[in-house]
Amino acid sequence: MNPGTYLGTVDLTIVAPAFLAGILVLITHVPLGAQVLKRGIVFIDLAIAQIAALGVIVAGMTNLDPQGWLLQVAAGTAALLGAFLLTWTEKRWPEVQEAQIGVLFILAATGGLLLVAHNPHGGEHLQDLLAGQILWVRYEQLLIPAIGTAAIVAMLLFFKERLRRLGFYLVFALAVTASVQLVGVYLVFASLIVPSLGVRNYGGQKRLPLAYLIGIGGYGAGLLLSTIFDLPSGALIVWCLALLAILVYASGPRKELAPN
């Protein structure tokens, strides 16, 4: 069948809240991603996101309401504990911090596998946390993330680049907590890192607006294409983000290589 015949079936009542969820994620993740690249701790987002996902799994074992605030508290608590742990390891062994972040990620990931090993729906739940179910987000699910986003934006504007190690990790943990449940671990990582990579050679005033455009374009194109071609939304958004970032990077200024 001609893909064009699907265009009439695109349901904006489904796409619109999913796109809004993506915007909420991008509002905080784009500036935080720039800080992650600047600090050279690229995989912290994967680690914190996976720890937040582990908190969701643990909370889910107690039959909490999947949309309730107690589940958000459980995920946030897990992410904050991870942030405190990473702060401590960076103070104690700063020369191997990236390796420690990787170890923490793999421990959280395998911990989740162990916890759902005897759950008949465990594999499906893990898949949802990793790849996300952004296309099925509803407006009522966005209230708590919207409040959290507003609070994080206020903190980022107030402190700007004065956030020290612990403050940055804590703000980062709070930002990742809600977004993992909205869009999944893969999209959290892509939203943080991909736009910032695409604009890294641009001047300071252009960098942030262009990064946001990459993010907005990637989410919009990915959601529309996923409904037209009936493909997984999260995976397609990641690819759209990457392709747009490559295009923006290729169209931008070249960084001068240092002489030998």
Side-chain angles (χ1 to χ4, degrees), residues 67-141:
Q67 307 303 330
W69 64 272
L70 285 176
L71 191 69
Q72 299 286 341
V73 170
T77 300
L80 289 173
L81 288 173
F84 279 115
L85 179 58
L86 287 174
T87 303
W88 180 75
T89 58
E90 187 174 343
K91 288 180 179 177
R92 190 72 182 269
W93 305 287
E95 70 280 2
V96 289
Q97 178 67 352
E98 192 74 356
Q100 292 168 145
I101 290 172
V103 170
L104 193 58
F105 163 74
I106 203 65
L107 286 173
T110 52
L113 286 173
L114 292 172
L115 288 175
V116 302
H118 298 296
N119 185 336
H121 302 291
E124 181 181 345
H125 188 39
L126 276 177
Q127 177 68 17
D128 289 346
L129 286 171
L130 290 173
Q133 290 290 322
I134 185 173
L135 201 59
W136 307 116
V137 169
R138 294 294 175 262
Y139 287 116
E140 56 268 22
Q141 294 174 248

Side-chain angles (χ1 to χ4, degrees), residues 30 34 195-196 199-212:
V30 168
S196 294
V199 301
R200 66 187 186 276
N201 286 347
Y202 284 82
Q205 292 185 338
K206 293 182 179 180
R207 194 172 294 167
L208 192 60
L210 281 174
Y212 275 121

Side-chain angles (χ1 to χ4, degrees), residues 138-153:
R138 294 294 175 262
Y139 287 116
E140 56 268 22
Q141 294 174 248
L142 300 178
L143 178 59
I144 294 177
I147 294 171
T149 296
I152 292 165
V153 168

Side-chain angles (χ1 to χ4, degrees), residues 8-229:
T9 67
V10 174
D11 190 346
L12 290 180
T13 62
I14 293 176
V15 173
F19 183 66
L20 183 57
I23 297 297
L24 285 176
V25 170
L26 290 169
I27 287 172
T28 56
H29 285 41
V30 168
L32 285 172
Q35 285 292 310
V36 165
L37 286 181
K38 183 178 178 180
R39 293 167 185 253
I41 46 174
V42 173
F43 292 106
I44 183 179
D45 49 344
L46 273 177
I48 295 294
Q50 194 66 58
I51 293 168
L54 183 63
V56 173
I57 292 171
V58 172
M61 296 174 69
T62 63
N63 297 319
L64 290 177
D65 178 7
Q67 307 303 330
W69 64 272
L70 285 176
L71 191 69
Q72 299 286 341
V73 170
T77 300
L80 289 173
L81 288 173
F84 279 115
L85 179 58
L86 287 174
T87 303
W88 180 75
T89 58
E90 187 174 343
K91 288 180 179 177
R92 190 72 182 269
W93 305 287
E95 70 280 2
V96 289
Q97 178 67 352
E98 192 74 356
Q100 292 168 145
I101 290 172
V103 170
L104 193 58
F105 163 74
I106 203 65
L107 286 173
T110 52
L113 286 173
L114 292 172
L115 288 175
V116 302
H118 298 296
N119 185 336
H121 302 291
E124 181 181 345
H125 188 39
L126 276 177
Q127 177 68 17
D128 289 346
L129 286 171
L130 290 173
Q133 290 290 322
I134 185 173
L135 201 59
W136 307 116
V137 169
R138 294 294 175 262
Y139 287 116
E140 56 268 22
Q141 294 174 248
L142 300 178
L143 178 59
I144 294 177
I147 294 171
T149 296
I152 292 165
V153 168
M155 284 188 282
L156 290 175
L157 290 175
F158 179 77
F159 289 104
K160 295 185 178 178
E161 296 192 9
R162 292 176 291 149
L163 278 173
R164 296 185 181 275
R165 183 191 299 112
L166 177 59
F168 175 75
Y169 282 158
L170 293 179
V171 170
F172 192 91
L174 292 173
V176 165
T177 296
S179 59
V180 163
Q181 296 171 72
L182 282 179
V183 302
V185 173
Y186 298 153
L187 263 179
V188 166
F189 181 81
S191 300
L192 280 159
I193 300 303
V194 173
S196 294
L197 279 176
V199 301
R200 66 187 186 276
N201 286 347
Y202 284 82
Q205 292 185 338
K206 293 182 179 180
R207 194 172 294 167
L208 192 60
L210 281 174
Y212 275 121
L213 284 176
I214 291 172
I216 292 169
Y219 271 86
L223 286 168
L224 287 176
L225 291 173
S226 70
T227 58
I228 292 170
F229 295 104

